[in-house]
Amino acid sequence: NEAQRERSEAIAASLRSRGISTDVAPSAAKFGKQIKFADRRGIPYVWFPGEEGAPDTVKDIRSGEQVEADPLTWTIAAADARPAIEKVTD
């Protein structure tokens, strides 16, 4: 939500500083819309900041697995570390 935008930007900066490509959704939206936003762009993970003391979580939208995460230590799978270009067919 917009109240967490500053925190989301800080999380993104922390991930970027460790070499993890990161994008922050352009506007607040429900989880389903955020996941669709990421999926359309080929982004495999969605980060959800925790509410009031709750832990942050990261969802792998390919597998559906969601785990607690810390922006200072969480890392992506090696296979996801480099962007890949996929051929799109009609």
Side-chain angles (χ1 to χ4, degrees), residues 11-79:
I11 290 168
S14 177
L15 294 170
R16 288 180 192 124
S17 75
R18 296 187 310 108
I20 300 172
S21 295
T22 307
D23 192 12
V24 177
S27 63
K30 293 183 180 184
F31 290 162
K33 286 187 178 187
Q34 290 181 20
I35 290 169
K36 284 181 185 178
F37 175 87
D39 189 40
R40 279 188 238 124
R41 288 158 181 78
I43 299 168
Y45 303 98
V46 178
W47 189 286
F48 298 105
E51 298 279 339
E52 297 183 34
D56 294 352
T57 58
V58 173
K59 182 171 188 157
D60 182 330
I61 62 174
R62 300 162 299 182
S63 68
E65 180 183 12
Q66 190 161 342
V67 297
E68 290 184 8
D70 180 321
L72 300 176
T73 59
W74 180 82
T75 190
I76 59 175

Side-chain angles (χ1 to χ4, degrees), residues 77-88:
D80 296 327
R82 301 221 180 247
I85 298 173
E86 295 181 16
K87 182 177 180 180
V88 178

